[in-house]
Amino acid sequence: MSTIRPDSKFRKMLGVPRTRRARETGEPKIDSKAVEFVLRVGRALHQYGTPAHRLEEVLEEMTRRFHMEAHFFSTPTSIMAAFGPLGDQRSYLVRVEPGDVNLGLMSDVDEIVTRVLAGELTTARGLELIEEIERAPQRYPAWLETLCWVTSAAAAGIMFGGGWREMWIAGLSGLGIGLLTLLAARSPTVNRIFVALSAFIASFVGGAMAVVADGASVFIPMVAGLIVLLPGLTLTVALTELATRNLAAGAARLTLALMILLEMAFGVAVGLRLAEMIFGSPPQMTTVGLSFGVAAVALVVASISFTVLLRARFADVGWILGAAALAYIGTRHGTLWLGSEVGVFIAALVVGVASNAFARFFDRPASIVMVPGILLLVPGSVGFRSVSRLLERDVVGGLETAFVMTLVAASLVAGLLVANLLLPPRKAL
């Protein structure tokens, strides 16, 4: 049976358009430098703690500005990208290890992307600058980060309702964890069990000092010492990703948050048991919080400490202080109005609107304001208490606390989503 030629009269009569010749149907023209720049930016932002939904929005916006068609899929451990039309794509896989939040480098990368998209820099120069950022030394020296572990824990001890005893016990726990971070940076083996070891240190110090200090609280300094490590931020990001239909990334990050809670609970169980064997059982005491003025000073100290621990630019310490103040005040008033579980919605709404306003007016990532504010709102301490009760075979109490944790996290996510509705940010970060 003979085939119909593309240019036959019969084909023209049917109205079928002529097909392109083979030499015209090659691979789509894709700027390799632009592709490399997009992938390097994605890898950098992923390592610096950008959630999946924000990361994909950033990369999609970049490819639109480069006049390329692309699709992205981000998970906590990888980025998959496909460039070109659906019938003829080039696919890439970038393997990424989950990194700690680094607000300073996130801001640096955002500035490079803004300048490249504005035409001030070429993609080749943008790649060079990103490589310089990746090779740059730590923004703050190790001794300062260790000191900030102490001050952040001590300040959190006061902000969580503790007194002077809880403050210095939490600071002592923070000192132990800060020294452990120095060891974890040099030893991959220690780094793998860093969370469990940190929980062991905080619980052992809290249990021992509660007996030595004659009746100090055990739970407050223990949670305050672990304030930066609590997976509440991870849990909040996971629920946000699920709410924005990033199901794979959200489910994976939710599993990560639960694993961190289990590691912490195991470390706490061992630490408290060892402290009880050596020093005896601590008495059950009710602590009395300090005055509002002392809490305000603690808030300032915590903001400066978070600036260093989150590796933000020190010039942003004022914005971080403002975010922490909004979160703290919003939580107090929200609790009075709506209760402790739903009241966090008010605080999250205020922090979300403030961070989006910061992004719109200063053309900088909203995460600079949002992350420090959320850090004081996250339900990690509630989840930590839930897992601890389950390990103590208090199933009913553990499930009840887990439900409270879920409700708090849902309220927080709802507040952030409503904030994006009231005042949408101009950029994805």
Side-chain angles (χ1 to χ4, degrees), residues 335-351:
T335 300
L336 293 176
W337 296 338
L338 302 176
S340 57
E341 292 83 10
V342 188
V344 73
F345 169 84
I346 301 296
L349 177 64
V350 173
V351 171

Side-chain angles (χ1 to χ4, degrees), residues 12-80:
K12 292 179 180 178
M13 291 175 59
L14 294 177
V16 180
R18 294 181 61 183
T19 58
R20 296 181 180 178
R21 296 183 181 274
R23 64 174 180 271
E24 297 176 352
T25 57
E27 294 183 354
K29 295 181 179 179
I30 298 178
D31 187 349
S32 59
K33 279 294 182 182
V35 171
E36 183 182 359
F37 180 71
V38 171
L39 294 177
R40 293 290 293 273
V41 168
R43 185 178 68 178
L45 292 178
H46 191 292
Q47 291 175 334
Y48 304 149
T50 306
H53 62 288
R54 290 183 178 269
L55 178 61
E56 292 178 2
E57 290 177 9
V58 171
L59 299 182
E60 289 172 0
E61 175 64 24
M62 291 175 62
T63 53
R64 283 195 296 267
R65 298 288 291 273
F66 285 132
H67 305 290
M68 295 188 299
E69 182 179 353
H71 306 272
F72 299 96
F73 182 73
S74 175
T75 71
T77 57
S78 64
I79 302 173
M80 285 172 276

Side-chain angles (χ1 to χ4, degrees), residues 106-182:
M106 184 187 296
S107 182
D108 294 340
V109 173
D110 177 71
E111 288 184 1
I112 295 173
V113 172
T114 301
R115 295 180 63 186
V116 169
L117 296 181
E120 300 177 8
L121 296 174
T122 63
T123 53
R125 179 55 181 162
L127 285 170
E128 294 176 358
L129 293 177
I130 290 180
E131 291 177 357
E132 293 178 5
I133 289 176
E134 293 175 343
R135 294 194 303 265
Q138 293 290 344
R139 188 175 298 270
Y140 300 105
W143 66 266
L144 182 58
E145 291 190 4
T146 303
L147 177 61
C148 287
W149 277 102
V150 178
T151 54
S152 65
I158 294 177
M159 294 167 60
F160 287 163
W164 296 113
R165 293 177 178 176
E166 286 75 19
M167 181 197 73
W168 70 261
I169 294 175
L172 188 60
S173 299
L175 175 61
I177 297 174
L179 295 176
L180 184 63
T181 58
L182 302 179

Side-chain angles (χ1 to χ4, degrees), residues 368-389:
I368 295 175
V369 175
M370 184 181 300
V371 171
I374 292 178
L375 196 62
L376 294 177
L377 303 177
V378 291
S381 60
V382 183
F384 174 72
R385 179 175 291 182
S386 172
V387 177
S388 299
R389 286 189 174 183

Side-chain angles (χ1 to χ4, degrees), residues 69-305:
E69 182 179 353
H71 306 272
F72 299 96
F73 182 73
S74 175
T75 71
T77 57
S78 64
I79 302 173
M80 285 172 276
F83 293 85
L86 291 177
D88 194 1
Q89 289 184 333
R90 294 182 185 177
S91 299
Y92 300 85
L93 172 63
V94 182
R95 182 69 169 85
V96 185
E97 291 292 335
D100 298 327
V101 176
N102 193 320
L103 297 180
L105 294 184
M106 184 187 296
S107 182
D108 294 340
V109 173
D110 177 71
E111 288 184 1
I112 295 173
V113 172
T114 301
R115 295 180 63 186
V116 169
L117 296 181
E120 300 177 8
L121 296 174
T122 63
T123 53
R125 179 55 181 162
L127 285 170
E128 294 176 358
L129 293 177
I130 290 180
E131 291 177 357
E132 293 178 5
I133 289 176
E134 293 175 343
R135 294 194 303 265
Q138 293 290 344
R139 188 175 298 270
Y140 300 105
W143 66 266
L144 182 58
E145 291 190 4
T146 303
L147 177 61
C148 287
W149 277 102
V150 178
T151 54
S152 65
I158 294 177
M159 294 167 60
F160 287 163
W164 296 113
R165 293 177 178 176
E166 286 75 19
M167 181 197 73
W168 70 261
I169 294 175
L172 188 60
S173 299
L175 175 61
I177 297 174
L179 295 176
L180 184 63
T181 58
L182 302 179
L183 182 60
R186 301 178 181 179
S187 173
T189 303
V190 175
N191 189 47
R192 293 189 186 97
I193 57 174
F194 173 72
V195 173
L197 289 177
S198 299
F200 170 79
I201 292 174
S203 59
F204 180 79
V205 172
M209 292 298 101
V211 177
V212 174
D214 191 20
S217 171
V218 178
F219 185 78
I220 290 179
M222 182 170 57
V223 174
L226 296 170
I227 177 64
V228 181
L229 299 178
L230 287 171
L233 181 59
T234 303
L235 177 63
T236 303
V237 172
L239 293 182
T240 304
E241 290 173 339
L242 291 174
T244 55
R245 302 302 186 267
N246 289 269
L247 304 181
R253 207 179 298 273
L254 182 61
T255 304
L256 175 62
L258 296 178
M259 286 303 301
I260 293 175
L261 286 175
L262 288 175
E263 292 179 22
M264 282 189 171
F266 175 76
V268 166
V270 176
L272 288 178
R273 181 57 179 166
L274 184 60
E276 183 178 350
M277 291 173 60
I278 298 176
F279 298 93
S281 300
Q284 299 295 327
M285 300 292 292
T286 302
T287 60
V288 178
L290 300 175
S291 64
F292 180 78
V294 177
V297 174
L299 185 66
V300 175
V301 174
S303 301
I304 298 175
S305 303

